[in-house]
Amino acid sequence: MKVLVEKDYDSMSRRAAEIFIEEIRKKPDIILGLATGSTPIGTYKELINEYNKGNLDFSKVKSFNLDEYIGLDGSHPNSYRYFMDDNLFNHINIDKNNTFVPSGIAEDLENHCKEYDKMIDEAGGIDIQVLGIGENGHIAFNEPDEKLSNGTFVVNLTEETIMANSRFFDNNEEVPKKAISMGIGSILKAKKIVLLASGRKKANVIKELLGNDFITTKLPASFLLLHQDVTIIVDEEAYGKLD
Ligand code: GLP
């Protein structure tokens, strides 16, 4: 696992974007694995800037997102589909038909989970995956538990995650309690993984992840230790407790 410590959020975002820009230039029909949350927003902004300068072409790019809330359709401002359109897709020349986000309103969710993994495989697999990390060590919505899902699955969110997500909703009642999420196995299939963490709130979980050399379902991000090409980019605040 490669660890890069950057001064602040902006330099973390630039560093991550540089990696993505290089990969997209190398392979114009790349398959991107994308994440939501506040952390990757700066990276997406950098990609948009590069596109606006005429230096980046998304016309052949495909993308798959990690997760979606159950019960919200793509027009809901808190859905992850809406987030992706708003923070990235609406500002670049990607064909929206080539952007995939799990559906939170699929009639048969179990079947949709299987189909989603199949679609990723049939597209050729994710070339590069960006990840954030929850304060409890979750990646996508793989919450700490006795066991973790291999493939895409339906998840009951923990109280901690519901609380953390509530900042985006008008009131706590509205925060979805369930989500559909790529599993740990689906994530580990990506050829390259870039995990981002910024701010003091992430310092404890980054210390747990980088300060130890064990894998546990209680810290889902620890499964990244099994992957051969992971880059973790943190800012100084998130790295703070390791000094
Ligand atoms: C949500 C998302 C994760 C994300 C996490 C951290 O739970 N499902 O993919 O990594 O939040 O969010 P943030 O980047 O806002 O701290």
Side-chain angles (χ1 to χ4, degrees):
M1 215 145 62
K2 193 154 122 193
V3 182
L4 307 174
V5 184
E6 293 289 333
K7 190 167 175 12
D8 53 20
Y9 178 78
D10 288 345
S11 43
M12 176 201 75
S13 303
R14 264 194 300 278
R15 193 72 184 256
E18 278 163 16
I19 298 175
F20 274 78
I21 291 166
E22 195 186 326
E23 296 296 318
I24 297 167
R25 289 205 182 117
K26 264 199 292 196
K27 187 176 177 192
D29 60 347
I30 196 166
I31 317 262
L32 302 178
L34 300 176
T36 55
S38 351
T39 313
I41 292 179
T43 306
Y44 296 155
K45 283 203 175 116
E46 293 286 339
L47 294 179
I48 295 167
N49 284 343
E50 201 64 16
Y51 166 73
N52 284 335
K53 284 190 220 150
N55 294 335
L56 205 55
D57 177 21
F58 289 88
S59 61
K60 297 197 184 85
V61 173
K62 272 193 188 147
S63 70
F64 287 90
N65 259 79
L66 289 168
D67 43 16
E68 179 60 285
Y69 288 123
I70 287 179
L72 303 191
D73 81 11
S75 62
H76 192 291
N78 284 121
S79 73
Y80 285 170
R81 157 56 72 182
Y82 190 98
F83 174 101
M84 288 311 302
D85 287 348
D86 200 33
N87 286 292
L88 183 64
F89 302 149
N90 287 347
H91 311 285
I92 56 175
N93 68 333
I94 199 164
D95 178 350
K96 288 244 184 101
N97 294 319
N98 288 334
T99 66
F100 303 93
V101 179
S103 167
I105 53 159
E107 263 179 41
D108 183 345
L109 285 166
E110 298 300 330
N111 188 48
H112 181 59
C113 291
K114 289 198 189 93
E115 285 297 315
Y116 197 70
D117 282 329
K118 207 168 129 199
M119 273 164 61
I120 298 173
D121 286 345
E122 284 175 0
I126 289 168
D127 290 300
I128 177 165
Q129 172 73 54
V130 63
L131 293 176
I133 184 168
E135 286 164 51
N136 63 3
H138 73 228
I139 48 175
F141 272 132
N142 294 275
E143 300 275 31
D145 208 339
E146 293 295 314
K147 52 187 182 178
L148 298 176
S149 180
N150 184 28
T152 296
F153 70 117
V154 171
V155 56
N156 293 313
L157 302 175
T158 61
E159 279 305 317
E160 200 177 353
T161 299
I162 294 168
M163 276 296 292
N165 293 341
S166 65
R167 67 190 195 275
F168 299 111
F169 291 80
D170 290 339
N171 63 64
N172 285 3
E173 307 303 287
E174 281 180 39
V175 190
K177 313 282 184 291
K178 284 180 173 217
I180 179 167
S181 171
M182 275 167 64
I184 291 287
S186 338
I187 294 170
L188 289 178
K189 276 192 197 169
K191 291 165 194 116
K192 195 178 185 66
I193 297 178
V194 179
L195 181 139
L196 308 177
S198 162
R200 225 162 284 148
K201 277 187 173 174
K202 300 290 166 72
N204 281 333
V205 73
I206 289 299
K207 185 178 177 196
E208 239 189 292
L209 179 64
L210 300 181
N212 294 301
D213 190 30
F214 55 73
I215 293 146
T216 165
T217 59
K218 300 288 164 62
L219 182 68
S222 65
F223 278 74
L224 296 175
L225 289 168
L226 297 171
H227 195 279
Q228 297 210 343
D229 189 352
V230 178
T231 304
I232 300 200
I233 314 180
V234 293
D235 64 10
E236 283 175 2
E237 283 190 358
Y239 193 71
K241 298 219 162 146
L242 280 154
D243 281 344

